[in-house]
Amino acid sequence: MKNGGKKLIRNGGSVGLRTVDIGTTMKKTKLKFLKPLSGVFLVLITVFIIYIYLNFERELRRLKEVQVVPSFDNYLKTRSGRTASQQQHRQQGFRGEKIVHLDLKGAPPKVEYLRKILPLFAKMGATGILMEYEDMFPYDGDISALNHYSVQNISEMNALADEHHLQIIPLVQTFGHMEFILKLEKYRDLREETWYPQTICPSNFQSLDLIQSMIGQVLRAHPKAKAIHIGCDEVFHVGSCNRCYDRMLKHGWSKVRLFLDHIVTVAKHIKQTYPGVKVLIWDDLLRNIEQPDLKESGIADYVTPVVWKYVPDIYTTLTHKVLYKYSNVFQSVWIASAFKGATGSNQYITDASYHVDNHASWMNVVRDYSMTIHFEGIFITGWQRYDHFAVLCELLPVAIPSLAMCFRQLAGNNDPPTDPPIDVGNLLNCDKPYGLLGPNYGNPKCSYPGAEILDEVYRLKQLKDKYAQLLADSRIKGWMNEFNVRHSFSNPELVESGTADLDWFKGQLWSVETNLWTSMADIYDNYTISEWMESYIRPFEAEIVSLWEKKEKLLNVDVWPRRPINFNITKP
C-alpha cells in the first residue's frame, strides 16, 4: 500500500510505516544479467507482492473476527450470503441432544399411544422426552387433576423410554405458570398477586416447601433423570406482595435480585439433594438482566438457560447482545424450537412450514455461534395449551408430520418449502406426501399412529373453508341479513337456492364428529375428546343451525307488508 511515498509493512506482527525509496533501491541493485527492461520487471514484481500482502492482511483480519464474537451485522451478512446451491445441499446437523416436548397439561395421551409413538420419535432422531406434567402428575394431596396419570403409568413411561434409548427430563414449574395450584382456594395465599393465580410468592416459606415437595416426588418417580427443568418463564408478577416488598426493603434488593435469589434457592436445593441432576430454566426473564447482576447472583453455578424462540426468523427477536452475554456467563446453553402450539392459542391445524422455518433459522444461529457458545441440546416444544386456562390447540397426532419435517432440518437437510416431503411421507407411510404441506394440498392419507385424526381434522378445515364461501355468497349477505331475518322480509327463491347445501354441511359435520370420536378414543380419555368437540365442533355446528333457523323463518311467510318495513319504529 502506498501512502505519500511510503509503504505499509509488518514488523513482528505489528503494522508500521517506514520510507522505502524504490528508485534508490533499484540504483543500488547491480545485477549484470538484467537487461534495460529489468526496472519495469521489478516494479511489476513489487506490485504483485503488495497485492498478495494486502489480500493476506484482509483474510487475516477476517479470521481474527471469526475467532472472537462477531458482530450481529456480520452474522446477518453471513446468513443472507448463503447461495441457493449451498442451501439445497445437506449441511452439518445439530450435534446436541434432541428432546421432544410433551405438554401434558392438555390432551394427555394414554400410555398405550405413547407405546406406539415413542419408537417413531426415536426413528426421527429424538434422544429424549421433556415431560411437562403440570397437574397430570400423581402428586400427594389435592393438587393433581382428577384424571391424572398413576404411579404405574409413569413407571411404564420410564420403561418405554429406556427401551427406545430416550432420556426423560421432567419439567416442574417453580415460579410462574403455577395456575393449576394457585387457582385452588387452599393455595390462594401463596399467590404473588391476589387476583392472579400465575405466579407464586417467593417470600412465603410455604411456597418453597411446596416446590421442594413437588420436585422430590417427580425426581423419585424418574430415578434415572439426569436433568430437570424448573420452568421460570413468563413470571409476570415479581416483588408486588407485601412479603416481597418488606424482604426487598430489608436486604436492599431489586426485583431482579429477588427473582434471581428464588431461582438460585430452588436450584441449590436440587443440586444438594440430587447430586448430578442438571437444572434447566427458560431464559426469557434473563434476557433483560445485566451481565454483572447475573454473575453476582451466582446463577451460572446452578442452572443452564434454555433460549426459546418459536418464530420463523430467530434474529428478528433474539439479539446478539443476549447471546454474547450468555456466552460470558454460562458454560453452555440449550435452545428451544416449536413443532406445534406456537401460531395461535386456538389453532387446530399445524402450520408445518412455519415451524420448519423456525428450525432452519435455529440451525443458522447454531452455525453462526458455534465458535463461541456450546449448544448442549434443543427442546422441540409442542405446546398443547398456552396456559392452564387456555383451550386446546393442535393435537399431537395432527402435528406429527410437522415434527418429522423439523427433525429433517435438525439433520442438516434444506428441503424446498414447495416440494413434497417425500422422505417424511415414506417415514409416515403417506400415499400423497403433498398433503403434508397443508389441507389446501389435499389429504396425505398416512398410516402412522393417530393419522386418522389428521384425516378428519383436515376434513373439518376444508368443510369450514367451504362454509365460509357459502357465507360470502351474495344471496346470504343480501337476502339473509339480520334485517331480513328480523322482519321476515326476503326473496324466498334466493333464500332457498343460497341455502341449498345446508343439509350437506350438516351431514358432513356429523360424519367428521363421529369419525373423530372413534379415532380419538384410542388415544385420549373422554374428558379430552369432549373438550375438543366443545371447542371446535360445537361452535361450527351452532353456526350451521343458526343459518338453518334463519332460513326456516324466512321461508315461513308467503306475504309481505308494504314499505317502509320499520314504519312504527320510534327514534331512540
Side-chain angles (χ1 to χ4, degrees):
M1 176 183 292
K2 293 186 178 180
N3 184 11
K6 297 182 180 181
K7 182 171 66 176
L8 189 64
I9 65 173
R10 178 173 293 278
N11 293 311
S14 62
V15 177
L17 290 172
R18 66 179 176 86
T19 303
V20 179
D21 189 329
I22 296 176
T24 303
T25 302
M26 289 179 60
K27 290 179 181 179
K28 291 180 179 180
T29 305
K30 306 290 186 179
L31 298 176
K32 297 180 181 180
F33 60 91
L34 289 179
K35 296 182 179 181
L37 294 177
S38 60
V40 176
F41 180 76
L42 285 176
V43 170
L44 292 174
I45 291 294
T46 303
V47 171
F48 178 75
I49 291 174
I50 292 173
Y51 173 80
I52 295 297
Y53 169 77
L54 292 177
N55 277 275
F56 173 78
E57 184 76 6
R58 185 165 59 249
E59 181 66 11
L60 188 62
R61 285 197 301 268
R62 188 188 70 80
L63 290 174
K64 282 187 174 182
E65 288 176 353
V66 172
Q67 290 172 0
V68 296
V69 179
S71 70
F72 182 59
D73 288 339
N74 283 341
Y75 279 131
L76 287 180
K77 291 176 183 177
T78 301
R79 188 165 58 88
S80 61
R82 294 190 177 108
T83 65
S85 60
Q86 288 174 321
Q87 292 290 345
Q88 290 173 1
H89 286 83
R90 179 170 178 170
Q91 302 182 31
Q92 182 176 327
F94 186 77
R95 292 183 173 182
E97 299 286 346
K98 294 176 279 292
I99 311 295
V100 177
H101 171 230
L102 291 182
D103 182 13
L104 304 177
K105 66 176 174 283
K110 297 177 180 179
V111 176
E112 290 77 8
Y113 183 67
L114 295 178
R115 197 181 308 279
K116 299 174 183 178
I117 208 68
L118 290 191
L120 184 58
F121 289 174
K123 195 171 183 179
M124 291 178 186
T127 61
I129 305 295
L130 178 64
M131 204 75 82
E132 182 167 2
Y133 288 107
E134 209 209 45
D135 58 356
M136 289 304 297
F137 186 86
Y139 290 111
D140 295 339
D142 51 5
I143 63 176
S144 299
L146 299 177
N147 61 332
H148 61 75
Y149 289 114
S150 67
V151 174
Q152 178 61 32
N153 290 152
I154 294 179
S155 296
E156 293 173 7
M157 294 178 191
N158 288 334
L160 285 171
D162 288 344
E163 180 181 350
H164 300 290
H165 309 289
L166 300 169
Q167 66 164 310
I168 290 181
I169 299 177
L171 190 155
V172 180
Q173 287 285 3
T174 58
F175 210 160
H177 282 304
M178 297 194 68
E179 300 95 337
F180 78 101
I181 294 176
L182 300 179
K183 70 178 182 180
L184 303 173
E185 174 67 28
K186 180 178 179 180
Y187 298 99
R188 65 179 302 165
D189 289 342
L190 300 185
R191 299 174 188 173
E192 181 67 20
E193 289 277 0
T194 303
W195 294 106
Y196 305 125
Q198 289 92 336
T199 306
I200 199 166
C201 172
S203 301
N204 190 324
F205 70 92
Q206 293 179 338
S207 298
L208 195 59
D209 289 344
L210 175 64
I211 290 168
Q212 291 177 353
S213 173
M214 292 166 58
I215 290 172
Q217 293 178 60
V218 170
L219 285 178
R220 285 193 295 273
H222 294 287
K224 295 183 180 181
K226 299 177 182 178
I228 184 172
H229 198 311
I230 61 171
C232 299
D233 60 314
E234 299 178 330
V235 184
F236 298 128
H237 310 288
V238 178
S240 55
C241 74
N242 290 334
R243 283 191 182 91
C244 287
Y245 181 80
D246 292 342
R247 187 179 176 196
M248 290 189 296
L249 192 64
K250 177 181 178 181
H251 296 288
W253 286 357
S254 64
K255 291 185 177 182
V256 166
R257 185 69 181 86
L258 180 67
F259 172 78
L260 293 173
D261 178 79
H262 179 71
I263 293 175
V264 169
T265 300
V266 173
K268 185 183 294 186
H269 165 76
I270 295 172
K271 291 285 189 180
Q272 292 173 348
T273 310
Y274 308 96
V277 174
K278 179 183 286 290
V279 181
L280 306 167
I281 64 167
W282 299 119
D283 84 302
D284 51 309
L285 269 295
L286 303 180
R287 294 171 196 165
N288 293 323
I289 299 178
E290 297 298 325
Q291 182 172 311
D293 293 331
L294 290 175
K295 287 191 171 183
E296 182 182 354
S297 71
I299 191 173
D301 295 331
Y302 300 101
V303 306
T304 300
V306 181
V307 188
W308 60 275
K309 284 292 177 181
Y310 308 143
V311 295
D313 189 347
I314 305 299
Y315 282 121
T316 60
T317 56
L318 184 63
T319 66
H320 168 73
K321 179 182 177 181
V322 169
L323 293 172
Y324 180 69
K325 176 177 66 178
Y326 289 168
S327 71
N328 288 333
V329 175
F330 300 99
Q331 292 184 352
S332 64
V333 303
W334 284 63
I335 57 177
S337 58
F339 74 94
K340 80 179 189 75
T343 59
S345 58
N346 66 336
Q347 293 294 312
Y348 62 95
I349 292 284
T350 304
D351 185 349
S353 62
Y354 182 97
H355 299 297
V356 167
D357 287 345
N358 172 240
H359 284 77
S361 185
W362 264 123
M363 288 300 293
N364 289 334
V365 173
V366 170
R367 294 183 189 109
D368 292 342
Y369 282 90
S370 60
M371 295 291 291
T372 55
I373 297 177
H374 172 45
F375 295 97
E376 195 170 341
I378 180 171
F379 291 113
I380 308 148
T381 64
W383 299 100
Q384 194 57 76
R385 299 187 196 274
Y386 274 33
D387 74 7
H388 180 78
F389 294 104
V391 298
L392 298 169
C393 46
E394 311 108 282
L395 296 171
L396 177 59
V398 174
I400 292 298
S402 172
L403 179 62
M405 289 185 237
C406 292
F407 263 109
R408 280 187 58 79
Q409 289 293 323
L410 296 179
N413 296 288
N414 287 288
D415 299 326
T418 57
D419 285 3
I422 301 298
D423 291 337
V424 173
N426 292 335
L427 176 67
L428 302 180
N429 299 313
C430 303
D431 293 338
K432 301 177 181 178
Y434 254 119
L436 295 173
L437 299 175
N440 291 336
Y441 294 86
N443 196 315
K445 297 294 182 183
C446 304
S447 59
Y448 63 85
E452 300 86 358
I453 295 178
L454 177 67
D455 292 343
E456 296 305 322
V457 168
Y458 268 27
R459 280 186 64 199
L460 177 62
K461 177 63 167 63
Q462 292 157 0
L463 193 62
K464 285 189 173 185
D465 289 344
K466 289 182 179 179
Y467 189 74
Q469 294 175 7
L470 183 147
L471 294 181
D473 189 293
S474 176
R475 292 167 294 183
I476 303 298
K477 298 172 71 174
W479 283 268
M480 295 188 69
N481 185 278
E482 289 300 322
F483 177 86
N484 299 112
V485 176
R486 185 180 305 115
H487 298 285
S488 298
F489 192 83
S490 189
N491 185 325
E493 183 177 3
L494 294 179
V495 171
E496 285 182 340
S497 62
T499 59
D501 290 334
L502 271 184
D503 280 334
W504 179 84
F505 277 104
K506 290 174 67 177
Q508 288 295 307
L509 184 59
W510 178 86
S511 173
V512 168
E513 179 180 357
T514 302
N515 292 341
L516 274 173
W517 267 101
T518 302
S519 56
M520 290 176 71
D522 294 332
I523 300 174
Y524 302 112
D525 60 24
N526 288 337
Y527 307 109
T528 295
I529 301 173
S530 178
E531 179 183 351
W532 196 92
M533 296 294 178
E534 191 172 342
S535 299
Y536 297 106
I537 296 291
R538 296 291 168 262
F540 186 29
E541 182 181 53
E543 287 185 54
I544 297 175
V545 169
S546 175
L547 188 60
W548 179 276
E549 291 174 347
K550 291 176 182 179
K551 179 200 74 168
E552 291 296 303
K553 181 179 180 182
L554 290 171
L555 295 180
N556 197 38
V557 295
D558 57 4
V559 292
W560 299 270
R562 292 185 297 167
R563 288 188 182 277
I565 303 303
N566 54 353
F567 182 77
N568 294 321
I569 295 179
T570 58
K571 294 176 64 175

